[in-house]
Amino acid sequence: EIPKRDWSSDVCSSDLHFAYHIWCELNFVSLDIYWCGSTCDEQKLVNTLINYFEPQKVQYQFTGRGYFK
């Protein structure tokens, strides 16, 4: 049997940071997604992730972090 472990990892690029955190014993996954600029349709992204993973429960929020000129 493979032992259950918690996992975290991230992917970074020039305009995106994506991190996931998995707690196996809680059957819980947290996703953190940050991007620069205004080219992302955040609601479409959330809907795509929900449709793909089909989670039992979803909670999300959008937070503006400011813009640089």
Side-chain angles (χ1 to χ4, degrees):
E1 180 178 324
I2 299 173
K4 291 185 176 183
R5 296 188 177 142
D6 301 330
W7 299 89
S8 289
S9 186
D10 61 18
V11 175
C12 297
S13 71
S14 61
D15 59 354
L16 174 72
H17 169 92
F18 175 87
Y20 68 86
H21 314 282
I22 300 172
W23 290 269
C24 295
E25 69 278 4
L26 301 175
N27 290 326
F28 180 81
V29 175
S30 172
L31 301 174
D32 304 316
I33 304 169
Y34 304 94
W35 64 90
C36 300
S38 59
T39 59
C40 181
D41 181 343
E42 56 271 352
Q43 189 62 60
K44 184 176 180 180
L45 175 60
V46 168
N47 293 343
T48 300
L49 291 170
I50 291 170
N51 289 334
Y52 182 80
F53 289 106
E54 300 178 345
Q56 293 177 0
K57 182 179 177 184
V58 175
Q59 180 179 348
Y60 65 91
Q61 70 181 33
F62 301 118
T63 305
R65 296 186 55 155
Y67 296 93
F68 296 98
K69 293 183 179 185

